[in-house]
Amino acid sequence: MGLTSRHLLGMQGVPAEDIQLILDTAKTFREVLERPIKKVPTLQGKTIVNLFFENSTRTRISFELAQKRLSADTVNFSTSTSSTKKGETFKDTVRNIEAMKVDMIIVRHESAGVPTFLTKISKANIINAGDGRHEHPTQALLDMYSIRERLGKLEGLKVCIVGDIAHSRVALSNIYGLKAMGAEVSVCGPATMIPRDIQKLGIRVYHDIDRVIAEHNVLNVLRIQLERKAGTSIPSVREYHKYFGITAERIEKYNNNIVILHPGPINRGVELTSEVADGPYQVILDQVTNGVAVRMAVLYLLGTMN
Amino acid sequence: MNIVLKDVIILHPEQKLNEKTDILLEDGIIKKIGSLSENEIKNSEVYNLEGNYVTPGFFDMHVHLREPGREDKETVITGCNSAAAGGFTGIACMPNTDPTIDTAEVVTSIIIKSKNHLVDVHPIGAVSVGRKGESLAPIAELVEAGAVGFSDDGVAVKSASLLRNAIEYAGMYNAPIIEHCEDPSMDDGAMNESFTSTQLGLPGIPTAAEDLIVMRDILIAEYTGGRVHIAHISSKNSVDLVRQAKAKGIKVTAEVTPHHFLLNDESVKTFDTNYKMNPPLRSKEDVEAMIEGLKDGTIDCIASDHAPHTIEEKEMEFIYAPNGIIGLETQLGISLSELYHKGHLTLEDLVYKLSINPRKILNLEIPKFEIGKEANFSIFNPDTIWTVDVSKFKSKSRNSPFDKKLLTGKPTGVINKKRMFIDDKFINLA
């Protein structure tokens, strides 16, 4: 049994069996990562391009390590500004790379829809590493892996995503993935950070963080981008922290069984205090390790399909 | 040269005409309407047009010709060819050109370029110098050169005070102010803000951005007693606002594009940039409100917002791609398929929306079926079934979401300025 699609563009529409397969495969690779020699020959001879049109050290390194541990040949194309702005169209950039005979493209871009667009102009397997505020499926998969690792299951769990939902690519992917796996999903944040009609996805919207802590098994806490619109969407970072920040006091008062995830990088003292970020409730560094294993699983399953 | 349009139905609701007949033209002038003698037929080029309607020439009051400045996308001539192929004998061209239409020289240059074409071209001047919203463009001079309306096209007139002055000043010449209604503090998006934009992770433009400016403009039209025309209306609330304003006797008119009365924002799920436009495609409820507005007369006319872009500009990441689609060559077919054949509008209604009303808004003469008058007609068959093929378009650009779409109702030809376009070619009648 393999995956139902030859691309991973998002978690929307990915069936539970596929998610299960990726997570189970990741478990095998997670064991490989504990060996002294962390490399398998599975993707030998495959060429993978990491096409990053937006800054992302962590995701790119995680993908690159995953590729190297599967023995694939990898090339990085990183540019902080789109090549469009330099005169070459995105399509030409991709066609040039395609002409070098690549098997898979990992893409990160500030515009939603770019991975879909890539499937129309390239024959390679496409993996979305984050498109605008749309999706970031491997992040959702590694989050699910980490939750399952800590709590043994996903089905029936109550998971809340906390923070700037409107500007997040992690939120949507988590919502789709977790719901497919039978979890109950909600979001929490200031009303200005909740995108329009999101409850139509079959999720609850909260604005009270104490209640959220009390009523959930897992919080996936998003980064508050300090540079983004402070003063317009929220009055200040100080006020955000006061009313939405996750603190050890809150956890101890309302629910000390909660599991805290964070996709990184953390703003200590904003969405989380250091006590929480380094404390017993969090699985933040496990997420990073699991990220490599999950990406190995996705690369392996897609790379050996055709 | 004598030509005969045989077995046509002439349709002119203002003249109360709706009858099957023949038309004889001599050198492009209407010579006779009625049954023709054998002699009259023998000495003429005869077009057997059974099943076709002949109406006063259609007029599209919202076209971007791109000349001067972006002749790689469209020129005055290719735009006019596209209009003729789409069944139009006249267009108004918008001022988001480079340079913009804020001097008499630019107005004149556009008029000169279109002078020998079948299609009448009436420039819309900029409201403000450089469309910057600071000081009024030389409106009187632009009217004298041939401008028939004013717009800061692409953006709403920047301030209420400048809009008030523009309405009053242009009002001296009975020229309307045509508004792109969008509050600039809420325009930072790539599609309609909705559940769909939430699912797609694309930044949204709320309908409130349109409604705010429609409301402002109505209030200023009421206060001044002047005229404002709402371009490409797209939100249900805006239609309601216009409906209420009209009931109060405020001089506001509105147009809608075929894409806004046909498509909703779920089309964007393909991330195809041919569904990216401004105003964006709205919700199903908004689309229904456009049809209602057309039916009850709140929306006066249909206009294409024909917006040519090159392939390389449109084949781009969604948030970077430019807004707009071309529409001249699909507008009549879509209007017939979606409004007439679905029972929303009669053919008479369509003649108002596509010919009479836009001309009234711009104070242009309405073509009539009268002996001795120069013919200005559109000919179409409402029952011809055809498939849109963008590769055959006369427009220089190809950015249409309607490629391969099956339509019922097709332009057959147009006659104006002693020229005829039929069977894919232009013919001089005199």
Side-chain angles (χ1 to χ4, degrees):
Chain A
M1 266 291 285
L3 297 176
T4 47
S5 168
R6 58 181 295 266
H7 306 295
L8 181 64
L9 306 179
M11 294 309 296
Q12 189 176 23
V14 177
E17 304 76 64
D18 283 19
I19 296 172
Q20 194 73 48
L21 177 61
I22 294 168
L23 299 185
D24 292 346
T25 310
K27 193 150 187 270
T28 319
F29 287 122
R30 184 72 179 76
E31 284 152 22
V32 171
L33 295 180
E34 298 302 326
R35 294 179 195 160
I37 293 177
K38 303 174 178 59
K39 196 160 176 152
V40 288
T42 326
L43 289 186
Q44 212 156 41
K46 292 274 181 188
T47 309
I48 305 178
V49 177
N50 298 309
L51 204 53
F52 279 63
F53 290 92
E54 201 182 61
N55 268 331
S56 156
T57 318
R58 295 157 174 264
T59 304
R60 192 177 54 71
I61 288 176
S62 179
F63 266 109
E64 208 180 327
L65 269 177
Q67 291 152 4
K68 291 196 162 134
R69 288 181 172 164
L70 292 168
S71 309
D73 295 319
T74 72
V75 190
N76 293 319
F77 178 96
S78 300
T79 166
S80 53
T81 48
S82 161
S83 56
T84 4
K85 289 167 190 162
K86 287 185 272 167
E88 190 184 40
T89 66
F90 175 77
K91 195 173 168 181
D92 284 336
T93 305
V94 172
R95 282 195 166 158
N96 266 284
I97 289 165
E98 172 93 354
M100 298 177 205
K101 308 291 174 204
V102 303
D103 301 298
M104 295 175 106
I105 296 175
I106 318 302
V107 66
R108 154 79 58 110
H109 199 291
E110 67 167 335
S111 176
V114 160
T116 307
F117 183 36
L118 264 179
T119 62
K120 290 170 189 159
I121 52 180
S122 167
K123 289 185 197 73
N125 303 95
I126 308 300
I127 298 175
N128 181 3
D131 62 329
R133 346 167 154 174
H134 183 215
E135 287 228 41
H136 189 3
T138 57
Q139 178 70 45
L141 288 164
L142 74 89
D143 290 346
M144 286 190 277
Y145 185 96
S146 305
I147 296 169
R148 197 177 73 161
E149 189 180 55
R150 176 62 81 96
L151 297 174
K153 61 169 186 177
L154 291 167
E155 197 177 346
L157 290 180
K158 291 182 171 185
V159 182
C160 185
I161 304 156
V162 182
D164 187 355
I165 310 300
H167 290 96
S168 171
R169 50 174 64 122
V170 176
L172 271 182
S173 290
N174 261 282
I175 292 168
Y176 293 130
L178 285 164
K179 281 186 67 77
M181 296 307 284
E184 240 180 82
V185 190
S186 56
V187 296
C188 175
T192 46
M193 291 178 162
I194 307 292
R196 195 169 178 83
D197 291 339
I198 195 161
Q199 65 284 356
K200 286 189 185 169
L201 289 172
I203 62 171
R204 291 185 70 175
V205 177
Y206 288 85
H207 305 298
D208 178 350
I209 195 67
D210 294 341
R211 205 175 139 204
V212 161
I213 294 170
E215 294 178 5
H216 290 80
N217 306 103
V218 178
L219 301 189
N220 196 343
V221 184
L222 304 177
R223 172 183 165 81
I224 293 299
Q225 301 207 358
L226 302 173
E227 66 280 11
R228 179 171 282 143
K229 285 194 176 176
T232 60
S233 64
I234 51 171
S236 65
V237 165
R238 186 188 67 81
E239 182 156 311
Y240 181 85
H241 180 68
K242 191 170 168 191
Y243 294 95
F244 294 92
I246 313 294
T247 63
E249 297 79 61
R250 282 188 158 132
I251 291 176
E252 275 148 31
K253 185 166 173 198
Y254 294 103
N255 179 3
N256 59 12
N257 287 318
I258 200 138
V259 177
I260 305 285
L261 282 80
H262 191 298
I266 303 169
N267 289 311
R268 288 172 183 261
V270 182
E271 64 269 8
L272 291 178
T273 58
S274 278
E275 266 180 296
V276 176
D278 303 324
Y281 315 106
Q282 56 79 29
V283 292
I284 298 171
L285 288 176
D286 296 333
Q287 283 175 274
V288 178
T289 315
N290 294 339
V292 178
V294 163
R295 288 176 177 122
M296 286 171 80
V298 170
L299 292 165
Y300 162 73
L301 290 167
L302 292 178
T304 51
M305 261 176 106
N306 27 3
Chain B
M1 176 185 187
N2 285 3
I3 66 161
V4 167
L5 309 178
K6 198 155 176 19
D7 295 326
V8 294
I9 301 162
I10 56 170
L11 185 64
H12 198 315
E14 293 231 312
Q15 286 185 274
K16 308 265 182 279
L17 285 173
N18 184 353
E19 61 196 49
K20 191 165 176 182
T21 186
D22 301 330
I23 303 172
L24 172 65
L25 302 181
E26 187 183 275
D27 296 339
I29 309 290
I30 304 172
K31 191 78 189 294
K32 191 171 177 184
I33 299 171
S35 46
L36 302 173
S37 70
E38 255 181 49
N39 227 11
E40 285 166 325
I41 289 176
K42 205 174 67 190
N43 295 322
S44 308
E45 182 90 21
V46 177
Y47 291 89
N48 285 306
L49 294 169
E50 177 90 48
N52 280 269
Y53 283 78
V54 180
T55 66
F58 292 139
F59 191 94
D60 187 341
M61 69 175 292
H62 197 133
V63 173
H64 298 275
L65 285 180
R66 304 294 186 217
E67 187 172 0
R70 288 306 301 269
E71 293 82 354
D72 55 327
K73 299 184 183 192
E74 197 81 283
T75 64
V76 172
I77 294 303
T78 59
C80 285
N81 290 343
S82 179
F88 291 81
T89 64
I91 56 177
C93 64
M94 300 303 284
N96 69 339
T97 48
D98 184 18
T100 183
I101 309 178
D102 63 355
T103 60
E105 287 74 15
V106 179
V107 175
T108 306
S109 78
I110 292 167
I111 290 175
I112 287 173
K113 285 195 165 105
S114 64
K115 207 174 167 190
N116 294 320
H117 201 283
L118 180 152
V119 173
D120 297 312
V121 177
H122 298 281
I124 302 299
V127 165
S128 65
V129 174
R131 297 191 296 122
K132 290 200 173 89
E134 280 149 24
S135 53
L136 286 178
I139 287 176
E141 228 171 56
L142 296 174
V143 168
E144 196 184 347
V148 294
F150 294 88
S151 177
D152 269 353
D153 184 27
V155 290
V157 175
K158 199 171 176 183
S159 69
S161 70
L162 188 72
L163 177 70
R164 179 234 173 123
N165 289 345
I167 289 177
E168 292 186 332
Y169 198 94
M172 293 191 294
Y173 308 99
N174 201 11
I177 302 301
I178 301 170
E179 276 273 81
H180 170 112
C181 295
E182 186 178 33
D183 185 293
S185 72
M186 294 183 112
D187 72 349
D188 190 19
M191 68 171 294
N192 182 43
E193 184 172 274
S194 62
F195 179 48
T196 309
S197 68
T198 293
Q199 287 173 285
L200 297 181
L202 283 169
I205 305 172
T207 47
E210 177 171 318
D211 306 336
L212 280 167
I213 300 297
V214 169
M215 188 74 250
R216 175 194 82 169
D217 288 13
I218 287 170
L219 291 172
I220 292 181
E222 179 178 27
Y223 185 76
T224 58
R227 279 212 295 150
V228 67
H229 174 78
I230 310 299
H232 43 51
I233 198 164
S234 70
S235 113
K236 180 181 189 297
N237 276 348
S238 290
V239 174
D240 289 341
L241 290 168
V242 171
R243 184 178 290 120
Q244 289 157 19
K246 285 187 163 186
K248 280 177 81 178
I250 300 166
K251 291 177 195 148
V252 56
T253 52
E255 76 193 27
V256 65
T257 69
H259 45 278
H260 288 113
F261 70 67
L262 171 59
L263 303 173
N264 66 58
D265 63 4
E266 289 190 25
S267 299
V268 181
K269 286 183 175 172
T270 58
F271 289 108
D272 180 343
T273 57
N274 280 327
Y275 295 106
K276 186 180 179 190
M277 48 277 276
N278 190 3
L281 298 175
R282 303 288 191 187
S283 70
K284 279 183 188 142
E285 293 71 42
D286 293 305
V287 171
E288 283 162 18
M290 297 308 118
I291 306 263
E292 272 315 302
L294 281 165
K295 282 166 82 165
D296 73 7
T298 303
I299 300 174
D300 301 84
C301 55
I302 297 164
S304 66
D305 192 6
H306 181 82
H309 291 295
T310 61
I311 290 167
E312 60 273 20
E313 275 183 320
K314 242 353 203 182
E315 273 188 341
M316 214 186 260
E317 299 95 315
F318 201 89
I319 63 170
Y320 303 150
N323 291 308
I325 57 167
I326 52 175
L328 277 166
E329 291 168 70
T330 46
Q331 175 154 242
L332 182 58
I334 292 171
S335 297
L336 288 165
S337 301
E338 297 297 321
L339 300 174
Y340 168 63
H341 286 293
K342 292 195 174 165
H344 299 307
L345 295 182
T346 63
L347 289 177
E348 282 86 351
D349 294 332
L350 275 180
V351 173
Y352 276 108
K353 309 284 185 199
L354 285 164
S355 175
I356 296 169
N357 292 346
R359 285 193 167 88
K360 279 186 176 165
I361 291 164
L362 299 174
N363 285 310
L364 299 169
E365 196 190 334
I366 292 152
K368 287 209 164 84
F369 292 101
E370 271 175 24
I371 309 303
K373 283 246 178 201
E374 195 175 277
N376 180 340
F377 301 154
S378 291
I379 310 164
F380 65 94
N381 188 326
D383 300 314
T384 304
I385 295 168
W386 61 295
T387 305
V388 177
D389 179 356
V390 298
S391 71
K392 301 249 161 64
F393 279 0
K394 300 289 175 203
S395 168
K396 211 167 183 177
S397 289
R398 295 288 174 262
N399 52 309
S400 166
F402 300 118
D403 194 28
K404 311 277 189 302
K405 187 172 174 62
L406 198 67
L407 296 174
T408 308
K410 189 173 194 275
T412 302
V414 283
I415 302 174
N416 186 30
K417 286 157 83 176
K418 304 184 178 182
R419 293 176 181 87
M420 183 171 185
F421 178 82
I422 197 163
D423 299 332
D424 208 31
K425 55 182 185 288
F426 287 95
I427 300 160
N428 283 319
L429 300 179

